[in-house]
Amino acid sequence: MEIIPLQIKEKPYVITFIGKETPEVTLFRFNPQDNAKIKFDPGMFVMVEYANASTKEKISRAFSIASSPTQPYLEFFISMIHGRFTSHLDTAKEGDIYYITGPYGQFRFVPSEEKKVLFLAGGTGLAPFMSMLRQIRDLGSGNDIVLIYSVKYPTEIIRKEELDELEKALNLKTVVTVTRPQEGDGWSGEKGHISADTIRKYAPDFNERTVYVCGPLGFVKAMKDAAEILGIDTSKLKADVWG
Ligand SMILES: Cc1cc2nc3c(=O)[nH]c(=O)nc-3n(C[C@H](O)[C@H](O)[C@H](O)COP(=O)(O)OP(=O)(O)OC[C@H]3O[C@@H](n4cnc5c(N)ncnc54)[C@H](O)[C@@H]3O)c2cc1C
């Protein structure tokens, strides 16, 4: 199949899968209506547009691509917060058409260029890292990865089984930290927000790694503060903010 860059011009995409991934997050897959394979680097985002057929209202939002460029669809992890756009997605059905433009963004990962990396993910900020991990798996590029992933509750871990499989298949260490542990939730892993100490503990060779950060504004600010405490060179830190 011919590989062409995703056009900046909007293109119609068909929803081919909708699945409730966690209580707060829904997974969506969109296939290009023309089936042309999609070219992007993991880390990039697209604009997804909803157009109301009767009112002609148009509304679009940015979403980071969670699928790998090796996959034929675009996958997204979307927090269903009942805002303007996500309320439309709440009523979306498989077969519906949305328009997508992109890809956009400087937050890009090229496996051959960054052999040792530290990924810091907050909530649905896991999306670009999942794209990166899936590409590393599919290319067999053998990168050395530490992923520290912060979620509110154990039930909010996205793609838990796939993450476990990736950890077995890749040179990947995954640490999940739960910021709001509840009595009786059965969580025996790491608790609390990611800090400089968490990074020291799980990635003691952090100075040899390029650090990628993705999540909401508060999360990215906290990760930048932690990086400063650790003396991580800003040229080795790449961040994608959603706020
Ligand atoms: C580069 C980039 C990548 C992104 N990638 C992702 C991604 O992969 N996954 C993802 O889930 N999001 C992602 N986002 C965020 C996404 O673009 C939207 O901002 C998000 O989905 C909310 O859109 P919305 O229209 O539903 O909310 P909006 O209507 O725009 O609401 C925004 C804020 O207002 C609050 N709000 C909305 N309605 C009300 C109300 N009635 N009362 C009180 N507060 C309210 C919401 O809680 C929210 O905090 C990304 C953003 C950027 C910039």
Side-chain angles (χ1 to χ4, degrees), residues 45 61-64 77-79 81 83-86 124 241-242:
F45 69 93
R61 290 289 183 269
F63 293 102
S64 292
F77 303 150
I78 302 188
S79 288
I81 61 165
R84 283 191 69 208
F85 192 85
T86 46
T124 42
V241 193
W242 291 359

Side-chain angles (χ1 to χ4, degrees), residues 37 40 57 70 79 144 170 207:
K37 205 155 189 251
F40 63 92
E57 177 205 21
T70 49
S79 288
D144 175 340
L170 304 180
N207 265 324

Side-chain angles (χ1 to χ4, degrees), residues 44-72:
M44 299 181 84
F45 69 93
V46 291
M47 297 300 297
V48 182
E49 182 183 277
Y50 163 84
N52 185 310
S54 44
T55 64
K56 307 287 177 226
E57 177 205 21
K58 282 186 175 179
I59 164 169
S60 65
R61 290 289 183 269
F63 293 102
S64 292
I65 305 168
S67 45
S68 156
T70 49
Q71 294 174 306

Side-chain angles (χ1 to χ4, degrees), residues 153-188:
Y153 310 109
T155 49
E156 282 305 314
I157 302 171
I158 299 168
R159 305 300 290 169
K160 187 173 181 320
E161 280 176 22
E162 189 178 348
L163 279 174
D164 290 344
E165 281 164 19
L166 286 165
E167 189 162 25
K168 283 185 205 129
L170 304 180
N171 184 7
L172 164 68
K173 174 167 187 53
T174 301
V175 179
V176 177
T177 178
V178 170
T179 59
R180 299 186 201 172
Q182 315 284 307
E183 211 160 299
D185 68 7
W187 183 252
S188 57

Side-chain angles (χ1 to χ4, degrees), residues 107-109 114 117-120 129 210-213 238:
F107 187 74
R108 300 161 78 163
F109 173 73
E114 313 281 6
V117 285
L118 168 60
F119 294 161
L120 302 173
F129 300 123
T210 303
V211 183
Y212 285 76
V213 180
K238 302 182 185 184

Side-chain angles (χ1 to χ4, degrees), residues 118-231:
L118 168 60
F119 294 161
L120 302 173
T124 42
L126 178 71
F129 300 123
M130 193 54 96
S131 175
M132 296 173 191
L133 294 173
R134 287 165 166 171
Q135 191 192 43
I136 290 167
R137 175 198 60 201
D138 294 348
L139 297 179
S141 54
N143 303 66
D144 175 340
I145 316 136
V146 177
L147 165 67
I148 310 181
Y149 172 30
S150 165
V151 291
K152 281 188 277 185
Y153 310 109
T155 49
E156 282 305 314
I157 302 171
I158 299 168
R159 305 300 290 169
K160 187 173 181 320
E161 280 176 22
E162 189 178 348
L163 279 174
D164 290 344
E165 281 164 19
L166 286 165
E167 189 162 25
K168 283 185 205 129
L170 304 180
N171 184 7
L172 164 68
K173 174 167 187 53
T174 301
V175 179
V176 177
T177 178
V178 170
T179 59
R180 299 186 201 172
Q182 315 284 307
E183 211 160 299
D185 68 7
W187 183 252
S188 57
E190 193 70 37
K191 291 173 188 160
H193 292 279
I194 301 171
S195 66
D197 282 343
T198 326
I199 295 172
R200 267 194 212 102
K201 182 172 169 189
Y202 293 107
D205 56 353
F206 56 82
N207 265 324
E208 296 167 24
R209 297 176 183 272
T210 303
V211 183
Y212 285 76
V213 180
C214 186
L217 183 62
F219 176 81
V220 173
K221 274 190 177 155
M223 294 306 94
K224 285 186 172 172
D225 289 347
E228 202 180 321
I229 291 169
L230 293 168

